[in-house]
Amino acid sequence: MENKAKVYGMKLPTGFQLIGQVGLKDYQCWLEFFASKKNADKIGQTITKRAYARIGLIGNPSDGFHGKTIAMSIANFWAEVNMAESENLILVPHPLNDPTEFGSLVDLHGISRKEGYLGGLRLLQATCKKFYQYCSERGIALARRNFTLKYDTNIPRQVGLAGSSAIVVATLKCLMQFFNLTDKDMAKEIQPQFVLDVEMQELFITAGLQDRVVQVYEGMVYMDFEKRLIDSRGFGQYSNMDMQHLPSFWLAYVGDPSDSGKIHSNVRERWNSGETDVIAAMKKFADLTDQAKSAFELQDWTRLADLMNQNFDLRRQIYGDKALGMTNLRMVDIAREHGSAVKFPGSGGAVIGLCLEPSKMTQLRQALQVEGFVVCDLIPYTGCVDQCEK
């Protein structure tokens, strides 16, 4: 004979309410509720994040062709994004990069010629849109909070130092902290692809993964973009390298770039069609990267300088002088006339060099400056301390 006993219970105002007949909507509502409670003590908090400019040390531009590269963050230049909670969601235009008022038609012409027409505001908006889409597709409930987002940057524009992606990376960092997301919600390995998707899918900016990887990982990063890895898991093999004993690199860039655009290169079309020379060149870039990795580990700077020169010569061979541009080639010529190794750190508009004879550096600097180029010594950014984070 079964014994029957009365069971008493009560409905608690907690997550136990989810026991029983509940759906996804109930679950999401409770996640939002608890996320809001967690954020209650953070009202008024200001979040500030930076992402740094980068230089491609070796292997670029093979990152867009399943090659290998080594790139490094530099502390000379950065993009900074500031986020604070507010009643409405507000994106603040930058006074220089997103101007809406001008002193005169002459001012409009001068600013437009130098700064272009596409400022950073579109990058903030596209990142926010893509972030919400990412979270929605994965069932990540976001607290119902609004914010004001603004940015600043001192990265020289249109000279290939990854200024656009720096703004996107810094914005992503702010959004993740604001909504209490961690690398478990968006793995570090896929964050560079997220940034690339913002630029390519939302803004139709042609780019590769290298810049986004080094800006997410920071420091000096070895990257392998082998097709098998990208296709199977969505990201390559990325590893930080030792930066304790680096040689002194220098940077030169065009002081007054125009927004006339770069001459179109057909390398992508040639790659897609299977042209033997292009495919072989990308494999060679990857081989140069592996050799450079060894040179860094052995601190063989003579070898590294030779590899940097080979990298540029191969790029010139494949792309041609017309695509590289006479101004860029002039910077290379001046550097080589003064005995310095030299190559492009990015897509053009700047060069990086390694001068193994410090006594020649003063004359090299003067020669570049006489022709209107800006020159500076590079300050590596290790990524160990982000002093601007609050």
Side-chain angles (χ1 to χ4, degrees), residues 184-236:
K184 292 182 179 179
D185 300 293
M186 183 186 293
K188 189 174 183 179
E189 295 86 355
I190 68 170
Q191 289 175 27
Q193 185 63 56
F194 173 90
V195 176
L196 184 62
D197 289 344
V198 169
E199 296 179 271
M200 295 189 69
Q201 296 178 7
E202 302 297 321
L203 302 173
F204 308 104
I205 298 173
T206 301
L209 273 169
Q210 172 191 253
D211 301 354
R212 291 93 202 146
V213 172
V214 71
Q215 287 173 328
V216 168
Y217 279 70
E218 299 185 329
M220 186 166 69
V221 186
Y222 169 85
M223 294 162 266
D224 182 352
F225 302 100
E226 184 184 352
K227 188 176 188 301
R228 177 183 57 83
L229 294 174
I230 300 294
D231 290 345
S232 63
R233 63 186 192 182
F235 56 92

Side-chain angles (χ1 to χ4, degrees), residues 368-384:
L368 287 164
Q369 290 173 338
V370 164
E371 298 201 21
F373 301 115
V374 181
V375 188
C376 63
D377 296 325
L378 288 182
I379 306 171
Y381 179 71
T382 64
C384 293

